Every structure is written in structure tokens, then in C-alpha cells.
């Protein structure tokens, strides 16, 4: 009934069934018929409808990455409104399935909510529990006693006598421990604080079923986090992480669909007891506003030395506009922190995360191995300084896939010590560098950039190094299947990078660049020089390859520029190669 009432046409459906002044029994029968008809016409399969809307929304958002039109924006807004309605209906369906009042105090349509509903509905049989003494028990008699004592203590405070109800056919089909729990008559709904305590305790139970591994689910709200966007939840997040990290079984830290202010730099420290930890975010994590809001910290949110981490969904809002304004006015300002840092961690997945308006970099992957970023969305205004989208440094086997980035600086910046980096289906401008800032520096090797689109950016495929001595290197880089739309420098190697002419004038870069290939690069240049190889006098670029290049400038041939570079061109290359 609640799901039906959520639809705007439901009142009209009820009104029609009573409009003819018929007898009460006929009116009730008519209402039942109309309700059935409305259910088919307005709802159908809610879950299929949700999948259909999400698929359409994904296609529209992908189109918006390259074509921002009013029609697409209106359709995107309409689909979001339709999705909100369907999500509300889905929540009500899950609530009705749960058949429990206290579950309604949980958060909206979330994995935590679904998990608790399935537990309450006894979808899986409980075959074992971890007892208070740490021993694993699967004896049915002991399980029955432990379960009864636990729930008596949680819900009644030890003052309510539990009476058995007549056993029904439905109850008889469950194992003994489940039968006893389903046959209990719970005390009336508790006050909110009691429910929160019970929820937190139940969430941390180690439960194993025949179909699933044990999982611990901990919500940040269990530890006092307030989703009002104003109350600092930093400590609650740290406490929730401590609980998850201490679990020896797969664990999930859950952030509900609300706005949570984290006003202090937070480090989610590992190593943890388990190697499968998920941070499931349905809501938004918001930074404090202001130039000095996070002090001199290098990072706002950091995960350090965590094995098997998955960050799934949600948004990080860095509120960086105040700091950008300070920098643009050339005042004395802090550098600013990175929004999300993954440091010293292995086997990490960052999936469907959105980062907006970072104070400095959006995401940094440093000293890590086997990291995948997929479906990430990053946004900041064009005038926001140094807001690199994703920065990778001293890391091995990193993949960046299906990602859209629009920032005030490089979308993907590649620092020293990066090996085996794969970038594919990304709308942005990846850049290798800046390298060679220090004399002793690790090299960059085995980098692939494929299926990338650049639109209206200053630089396209760029490798840059400081114009001063260094023992670093770049080798084994592949750029292929790239589209350029009015890019000022589509193909660029710049080994004379020297911002503000400080510390590097009249010197030569020591970075050795070799084995860099450009294949199937097409589109338009916003400047006449579409390919520029400005290499070092002392460390010339070696083994540069060009194949199937088609770049034009204002519907006329473009030009190329070469200095201290050796290589070869194959196939059709426009502008003509200067190698």
C-alpha cells in the first residue's frame, strides 16, 4: 500500500473506484480491481524499471562528456527525477518485505539496508555463530540458547518474558535456531537510542550462511556521524574504520545517502586484520570551506597500507573555491590537500566515485601495487589551479578505465616511479610529468594510453621534464586511438619546462626519453604546430614513432617541430613528420 501511495496517480485511482455511489462491498471490490490495474500500469517490475533508467542515464552521461547540449541536460534531469521516484518505490518494497518496524529507522536504499532486510527475512539459514569466547559453534542446541539470550538482552533489557507462538507451516521449514527466533513475540518498538545500540551490535555479528561468506557491515552513523552537512563526523568515521579494520572476516564501512562533514584530515590506517574491506558510499563526504580549513595537511582523506580495499560509489566535495581565489590573487596561501590519497596499499579498486572541487589534486595513488580506478568522475572549473584529476607515482600495475575528468590541470599526471600503467576510454588530457625536478629520480616505463578524447584542452599527449640535470627516464610509452578536438598542443614533448624561470634557466634536462609511439591520432589542432618535439641537447629523444596521424589546423595543413629527436614515421602522417 505504501508503494502505491507514493505514486502521484494513486489518489485518482482510488477516487474513481468510489465515484459511482455503489454499495460498500461493491466499492471495495472495485478498489481491489483498480489497485491491481494500477499496480500493473504504474509499477510493473520496479527492479527492471530501475535497471532500464540507470542504463539510459549512463548513456546520457557518457554523451554529456563530449557534447554538452540543453536537450541532453534536460533529459539527464528528467531521468534523475524518474530514478528518484523508482528508488522510493523500491525502498518501500524492501520495507514491506522486512515486515519489521525498527528496520525503517535504517538508511534509504542502500546495501546495508538490503543486507539487514535479508537477515530479518531469514533468507539464508544460519549454520554457525562466533560465540563471545571466540569459538565457532554449529551445534543447534547451543545456537538456539545463544540466539534467544542475545535477543532477549538486546530488545528487552532482560525484563520481558518471551512466549512461543503456535508453530506455523512457514516457521517449520527453517532450522531450529531460526524457528525459535521467528516464533518469538518481540516487545513493542523501542526508543531510538535503544534501536541504534541494537543495530550496531547486530551489524557486527559474524554470521555465515551456506551461500555467502561472513560479512561485517558497520555504518558511520552507528558511531554518531550526522548527515546534516554541518556537524563534524571525522571521529565517527575513524571509529567506524577501526571497527571494520579489526574484523578478521570481509567487512564493509557504510556511508548513508546524506552529506557528512569531515572537517579534519583523516587517515584510515592499515594494515587490517582482513584482506577484503569495502567502503560503500551512498552519500557525500564534504570538506570544510575556507583557505586555512585543513591547515598544512597534504591529504584530506587517506587510506594507508590497506590490502584488498574497495571504495564503491559516493562523492567527495573538496570545496576548494576559497583556496583557488586566494592563489589567483597571489596572496600567501597554503598549497592545499589532496582530496583522496591511496598510499602504500595493494589490490585496491576505486569504482564509481565522484570528486568535485578539490583544493589541490583530486586522487593520488602513491607507492601502491595493483590499483584499478573505474567509472570515476572528476570535476573542477577550468580556472582552478593544480587540480590534477588522478596523480600516479611510485606505483606498479595501475589501471584507469571508463573515466571522465574535467579539471583546471592535467586529468591524469604520471610521476616518477610509475610502471605498467594502463589508461583506456578516458575523456581528459593525460600527462607524463613533470619529471626531473630532482637529481635522483625513478623512471617511468610501460605506459599505455588508449581510446582517449581531448576537447578544447591546452595540451593533449604531453611528456614534460624540468630543464635541469636528472638521472630519470621515460621509456616504453604507447599512445593510440586518440581523438583531438581543437587542442592547442595535440602531441608535445617538452624537456625545457621551467616555470617562472626559477632554478633551471640555461640548463638541460637529464631525463632520457625513448621508445614512445603515437598511432592512430586524429582530429584538429587549435595551433598551427600540431606536433612538437622539444628535446634536451644533452639527452635527445630516441626511438620516437609516428603512424597514421591526421591532424589539421583550421581546415588547412598543420606543422610539426623537431629539436634533438630521432625516430621514424610509417603510413600517412599529417602534419608531415620532421623526424
Amino acid at each position: 500500500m505504501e508503494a502505491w501511495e507514493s505514486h502521484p496517480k494513486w489518489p485518482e485511482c482510488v477516487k474513481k473506484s468510489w465515484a459511482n455511489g455503489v454499495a460498500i462491498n461493491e466499492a471495495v471490490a472495485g478498489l481491489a480491481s483498480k489497485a491491481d490495474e494500477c499496480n500493473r500500469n504504474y509499477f510493473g517490475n520496479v527492479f527492471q524499471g530501475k535497471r532500464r533508467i540507470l542504463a539510459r542515464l549512463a548513456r546520457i552521461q557518457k554523451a554529456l562528456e563530449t557534447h554538452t547540449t540543453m536537450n541532453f541536460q534536460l533529459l539527464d534531469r528528467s531521468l534523475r527525477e524518474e530514478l528518484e521516484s523508482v528508488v522510493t518505490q523500491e525502498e518501500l518494497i524492501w520495507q514491506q518485505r522486512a515486515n519489521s518496524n525498527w528496520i525503517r529507522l535504517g538508511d534509504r536504499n542502500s546495501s546495508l539496508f538490503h543486507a539487514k532486510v535479508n537477515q530479518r527475512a531469514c533468507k539464508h539459514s544460519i549454520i554457525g555463530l562466533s560465540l563471545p569466547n571466540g569459538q565457532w559453534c554449529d551445534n543447534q542446541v547451543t545456537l538456539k540458547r545463544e540466539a534467544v539470550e542475545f535477543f532477549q538482552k538486546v530488545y528487552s533489557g532482560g525484563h520481558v518474558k518471551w512466549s512461543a507462538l503456535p508453530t506455523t507451516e512457514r516457521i517449520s521449514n527453517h532450522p531450529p535456531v531460526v524457528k525459535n527466533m521467528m516464533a518469538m513475540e518481540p516487545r513493542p518498538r523501542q526508543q531510538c537510542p535503544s534501536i541504534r545500540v541494537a543495530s550496531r551490535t547486530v551489524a557486527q555479528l559474524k554470521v555465515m550462511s551456506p551461500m555467502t561468506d561472513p560479512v561485517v557491515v558497520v555504518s558511520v552513523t552507528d558511531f554518531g556521524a550526522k548527515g546534516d552537512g554541518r556537524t563534524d563526523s571525522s571521529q565517527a568515521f575513524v571509529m567506524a574504520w577501526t571497527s571494520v579494520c579489526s574484523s578478521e572476516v570481509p567487512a564493509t564501512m557504510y556511508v548513508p545517502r546524506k552529506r557528512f562533514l569531515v572537517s579534519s584530515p583523516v587517515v584510515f590506517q592499515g594494515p587490517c586484520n582482513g584482506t577484503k574491506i569495502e567502503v560503500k558510499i551512498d552519500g557525500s563526504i564534504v570538506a570544510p570551506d575556507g583557505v586555512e580549513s585543513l591547515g598544512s595537511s597534504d591529504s584530506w582523506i587517506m587510506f594507508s597500507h590497506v590490502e584488498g580495499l574497495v571504495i564503491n560509489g559516493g562523492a567527495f566535495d573538496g570545496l576548494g573555491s576559497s583556496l583557488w581565489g586566494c592563489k589567483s590573487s597571489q596572496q600567501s596561501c597554503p598549497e592545499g590537500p589532496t582530496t583522496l590519497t591511496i598510499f602504500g596499499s595493494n589490490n585496491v579498486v576505486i569504482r564509481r566515485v565522484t570528486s568535485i572541487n578539490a583544493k589541490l589534486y583530486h586522487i593520488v595513488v602513491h607507492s601502491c601495487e595493483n590499483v584499478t580506478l573505474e567509472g570515476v568522475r572528476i570535476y573542477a572549473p577550468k580556472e582552478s589551479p593544480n587540480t590534477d584529476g588522478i596523480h600516479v607515482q611510485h606505483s606498479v600495475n595501475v589501471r584507469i578505465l571508463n573515466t571522465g575528468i574535467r579539471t583546471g590541470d592535467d586529468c591524469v599526471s604520471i610521476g616518477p616511479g610509475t610502471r605498467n600503467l594502463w589508461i583506456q576510454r578516458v575523456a581528459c588530457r593525460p600527462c607524463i610529468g613533470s619529471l626531473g625536478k630532482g637529481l635522483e629520480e625513478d623512471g617511468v616505463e610501460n605506459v599505455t594510453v588508449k581510446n582517449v578524447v581531448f576537447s578544447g584542452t591546452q595540451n593533449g599527449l604531453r611528456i614534460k621534464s624540468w630543464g635541469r640535470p636528472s638521472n630519470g627516464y621515460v621509456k616504453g610509452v604507447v599512445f593510440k586511438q586518440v581523438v583531438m578536438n581543437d587542442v592547442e598542443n595535440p602531441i608535445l614533448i617538452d624537456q625545457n619546462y621551467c616555470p617562472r624561470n626559477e632554478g633551471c634557466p640555461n640548463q638541460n634536462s637529464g631525463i632520457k626519453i625513448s621508445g614512445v609511439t603515437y598511432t592512430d591520432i586524429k582530429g584538429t589542432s587549435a595551433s598551427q604546430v600540431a606536433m612538437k618535439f622539444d628535446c634536451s641537447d644533452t639527452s635527445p629523444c630516441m626511438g620516437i614513432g609516428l603512424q597514421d596521424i591526421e591532424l589539421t589546423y583550421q581546415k588547412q595543413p598543420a606543422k610539426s617541430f623537431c629539436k634533438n629527436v630521432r625516430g621514424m614515421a610509417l603510413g600517412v602522417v599529417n602534419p608531415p613528420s620532421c623526424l
Side-chain angles (χ1 to χ4, degrees), residues 50 83-91 108-109 257:
K50 179 183 176 184
L83 178 63
E84 181 66 21
S85 175
V86 171
V87 167
T88 300
Q89 296 163 15
E90 185 185 15
E91 292 166 4
R108 298 184 65 197
N109 194 33
R257 188 174 299 180

Side-chain angles (χ1 to χ4, degrees), residues 126-131 136-151 175-178 180-181 184:
I126 298 174
I127 63 172
L129 288 175
S130 177
L131 300 180
W136 191 262
C137 173
D138 57 3
N139 179 273
Q140 292 295 312
V141 175
T142 305
L143 285 176
K144 181 190 297 185
R145 183 183 68 252
E146 291 290 334
V148 171
E149 291 178 356
F150 174 80
F151 282 102
V177 63
V178 178
N180 196 75
M181 292 168 61
M184 294 176 184

Side-chain angles (χ1 to χ4, degrees), residues 454-460 482-491 521-531 549-558 574-575:
F454 300 85
S455 296
T457 60
Q458 181 181 7
N459 299 300
V482 178
V483 176
M484 304 283 181
N485 297 316
D486 293 323
V487 177
E488 190 170 338
N489 300 300
I491 295 176
I521 315 296
K522 294 178 170 57
T524 57
S525 173
S527 65
Q528 193 167 14
V529 178
M531 294 193 302
I549 311 294
E550 189 64 49
L551 294 170
T552 61
Y553 167 65
Q554 296 181 354
K555 299 182 180 180
Q556 57 182 310
N574 286 310

Side-chain angles (χ1 to χ4, degrees), residues 423-560:
I423 303 172
Q424 184 170 6
R425 293 189 297 276
V426 174
C428 71
R429 51 179 183 189
C431 172
I432 299 178
S434 305
L435 303 176
K437 190 172 184 179
L439 179 61
E440 299 293 331
E441 190 172 274
D442 293 332
V444 173
E445 59 183 297
N446 297 336
V447 175
T448 298
V449 179
K450 181 180 179 181
N451 300 126
V452 174
V453 177
F454 300 85
S455 296
T457 60
Q458 181 181 7
N459 299 300
L461 305 172
R462 177 172 62 162
I463 301 175
K464 66 175 180 177
S465 64
W466 287 73
R468 58 192 186 193
S470 175
N471 61 359
Y473 63 87
V474 176
K475 66 180 180 180
V477 179
V478 175
F479 298 111
K480 63 191 300 184
Q481 297 173 9
V482 178
V483 176
M484 304 283 181
N485 297 316
D486 293 323
V487 177
E488 190 170 338
N489 300 300
I491 295 176
L492 174 63
I493 295 181
D494 179 9
Q495 286 199 270
N496 294 289
Y497 179 67
C498 189
R500 298 182 297 277
N501 288 323
E502 295 176 0
C504 45
N506 305 316
Q507 299 187 64
N508 295 309
S509 173
I511 297 292
K512 296 177 175 59
I513 299 176
S514 62
V516 180
T517 61
Y518 303 84
T519 305
D520 192 13
I521 315 296
K522 294 178 170 57
T524 57
S525 173
S527 65
Q528 193 167 14
V529 178
M531 294 193 302
K532 184 177 181 179
F533 302 102
D534 186 8
C535 299
S536 169
D537 291 338
T538 57
S539 300
C541 300
M542 307 292 290
I544 306 301
L546 301 173
Q547 182 174 0
D548 300 331
I549 311 294
E550 189 64 49
L551 294 170
T552 61
Y553 167 65
Q554 296 181 354
K555 299 182 180 180
Q556 57 182 310
K559 296 181 179 180
S560 58

Side-chain angles (χ1 to χ4, degrees), residues 46-185:
V46 171
F47 303 102
Q48 287 183 4
K50 179 183 176 184
R51 287 194 295 269
R52 184 172 61 253
I53 294 171
L54 287 173
R56 291 187 63 196
L57 193 56
R59 290 194 295 269
I60 291 298
Q61 290 176 340
K62 187 174 182 180
L64 281 170
E65 292 175 5
T66 55
H67 299 85
T68 305
T69 67
M70 181 62 71
N71 288 338
F72 280 161
Q73 290 175 338
L74 290 174
L75 184 55
D76 179 80
R77 185 182 303 169
S78 174
L79 287 172
R80 288 179 183 276
E81 292 174 353
E82 187 177 351
L83 178 63
E84 181 66 21
S85 175
V86 171
V87 167
T88 300
Q89 296 163 15
E90 185 185 15
E91 292 166 4
L92 293 169
I93 289 173
W94 280 100
Q95 286 177 337
Q96 292 160 9
R97 178 181 174 186
N99 193 26
S100 173
N101 287 331
W102 69 269
I103 204 70
R104 296 179 186 176
L105 292 172
D107 300 297
R108 298 184 65 197
N109 194 33
S110 64
S111 56
L112 173 67
F113 184 28
H114 294 179
K116 293 198 176 192
V117 167
N118 285 331
Q119 287 178 9
R120 187 68 176 180
C122 298
K123 184 175 181 179
H124 302 306
S125 300
I126 298 174
I127 63 172
L129 288 175
S130 177
L131 300 180
N133 61 9
Q135 295 182 348
W136 191 262
C137 173
D138 57 3
N139 179 273
Q140 292 295 312
V141 175
T142 305
L143 285 176
K144 181 190 297 185
R145 183 183 68 252
E146 291 290 334
V148 171
E149 291 178 356
F150 174 80
F151 282 102
Q152 280 181 332
K153 181 179 179 180
V154 169
Y155 288 106
S156 69
H159 301 295
V160 174
K161 295 182 178 180
W162 298 77
S163 58
L165 298 174
T167 303
T168 64
E169 183 66 27
R170 181 171 67 89
I171 295 177
S172 64
N173 293 329
H174 290 78
V177 63
V178 178
K179 290 182 192 177
N180 196 75
M181 292 168 61
M182 295 176 65
M184 294 176 184
E185 180 181 7

Side-chain angles (χ1 to χ4, degrees), residues 356-403:
I356 63 174
N357 299 332
K359 288 178 168 58
L360 193 66
Y361 293 177
H362 286 262
I363 300 175
V364 167
V365 178
H366 196 299
S367 304
C368 297
E369 187 170 345
N370 299 327
V371 178
T372 298
L373 300 97
E374 185 170 11
V376 173
R377 296 291 179 265
I378 296 176
Y379 305 100
K382 188 175 182 180
E383 62 274 11
S384 57
N386 302 117
T387 52
D388 290 23
I390 301 171
H391 180 75
V392 183
Q393 186 165 333
H394 291 293
S395 295
V396 181
N397 299 332
V398 176
R399 300 190 306 157
I400 302 173
L401 310 172
N402 306 316
T403 293

